[in-house]
Amino acid sequence: CRGRPSTPVTYLIVLPSVHPPSTERCLAGIAEPLKERLLLVDNSTLNRGLAASWNLGARIVLDQQLDWLVILSAATRFGPAGGEDFIALLDKYDPAATWVIESDAPVNQHLMAWARPMLDGVGLADENFWPVYGEDASFSRRVHVAQAEGWGGEWEKEPIDAWITMAGHATKLAGVVVDFDRTWTYYKDCWGGMSGEEKFARPFNDPDLPLSFWPRPPDPRAVEHEGWDR
């Protein structure tokens, strides 16, 4: 592991909420000091989507020049440490060299930290994936392309005292409907294949596009959905 400079770590936690009872149970297990740096994004009435929710936090991290954005799922439940064991890892890694810290199984990408240099390098989450699913795979693809090209930071996994109550809790408990045909058609158009089978090193196989690119309306490549501009 590459150590951080000896300056206090700064971070923001973003917690999208689409099923309030799940969110309340998640919040109940979070250590109080962490709640002071938590952005709760309420999608229970108007669903802006998971990617757009993450991006609300990402823009704050970029604007305020914070070190890390912590992505938290409302399906996550914490042990006695209340998530402070994960936050302690932010002091262990240098965000210039380590771009992603992911909680190891059984939580995985329900709890991650994104370094600000990663956001600077590969951009924000693709909001064409709405309301949920696909945004994490597209994000991972961009990080792995940057790594393959020799300028991307490391992706670390660490054991954390946490677990998830239900995979896909948003769709199962909150009744969020996902158009998977639309989602994966867009993914294949963007990356040339399904997750793990991608063929493109740049979005839409356009070498002039940066890794950070994703289309927004009225670009015809953008996916029409209800979450834009919420």
Side-chain angles (χ1 to χ4, degrees):
C1 299
R2 302 182 178 103
R4 280 183 45 80
S6 56
T7 54
V9 65
T10 56
Y11 66 91
L12 176 72
I13 303 169
V14 60
L15 173 59
S17 171
V18 72
H19 182 250
S22 291
T23 305
E24 291 168 6
R25 287 191 286 273
C26 177
L27 287 169
I30 298 176
E32 289 300 323
L34 274 59
K35 295 178 183 178
E36 298 175 2
R37 301 186 184 185
L38 186 145
L39 172 66
L40 179 63
V41 181
D42 185 0
N43 291 326
S44 60
T45 302
L46 296 175
N47 193 347
R48 60 180 49 81
L50 187 59
S53 301
W54 290 349
N55 287 344
L56 288 176
R59 291 186 179 96
I60 293 172
V61 167
L62 292 169
D63 289 345
Q64 298 184 9
Q65 296 289 285
L66 305 180
D67 295 315
W68 298 95
L69 174 67
V70 177
I71 303 294
L72 176 61
S73 162
T76 302
R77 302 291 180 265
F78 294 102
E84 290 186 306
D85 53 345
F86 185 78
I87 297 302
L89 295 172
L90 306 185
D91 276 320
K92 180 179 176 181
Y93 291 102
D94 179 357
T98 298
W99 276 10
V100 181
I101 305 171
E102 179 185 346
S103 57
D104 209 346
V107 185
N108 297 120
Q109 294 190 12
H110 287 263
L111 179 60
M112 294 188 293
W114 294 357
R116 177 165 47 84
M118 186 276 295
L119 296 172
D120 286 327
V122 302
L124 304 182
D126 189 338
E127 295 180 17
N128 288 283
F129 295 102
W130 181 89
V132 67
Y133 298 128
E135 64 288 312
D136 53 349
S138 184
F139 155 75
S140 299
R141 173 63 180 168
R142 286 187 278 155
V143 172
H144 292 147
V145 168
Q147 290 174 329
E149 294 177 349
W151 58 277
E154 297 296 321
W155 187 309
E156 302 287 350
K157 291 190 176 186
E158 293 272 6
I160 302 296
D161 185 14
W163 63 94
I164 60 170
T165 59
M166 180 185 297
H169 81 286
T171 55
K172 294 173 183 175
L173 296 179
V176 173
V177 178
V178 181
D179 186 339
F180 286 102
D181 288 340
R182 179 183 67 183
T183 296
W184 296 119
T185 295
Y186 173 78
Y187 192 94
K188 289 186 286 186
D189 288 345
C190 185
W191 295 113
M194 294 290 285
S195 179
E197 301 173 350
E198 299 93 337
K199 299 180 179 65
F200 302 159
R202 286 294 181 274
F204 302 96
N205 204 28
D206 185 339
D208 295 327
L209 291 176
L211 276 178
S212 59
F213 174 83
W214 43 270
R216 301 154 175 81
D219 189 316
R221 292 169 295 191
V223 175
E224 292 187 9
H225 61 70
E226 301 169 19
W228 289 113
D229 300 325
R230 286 189 176 164

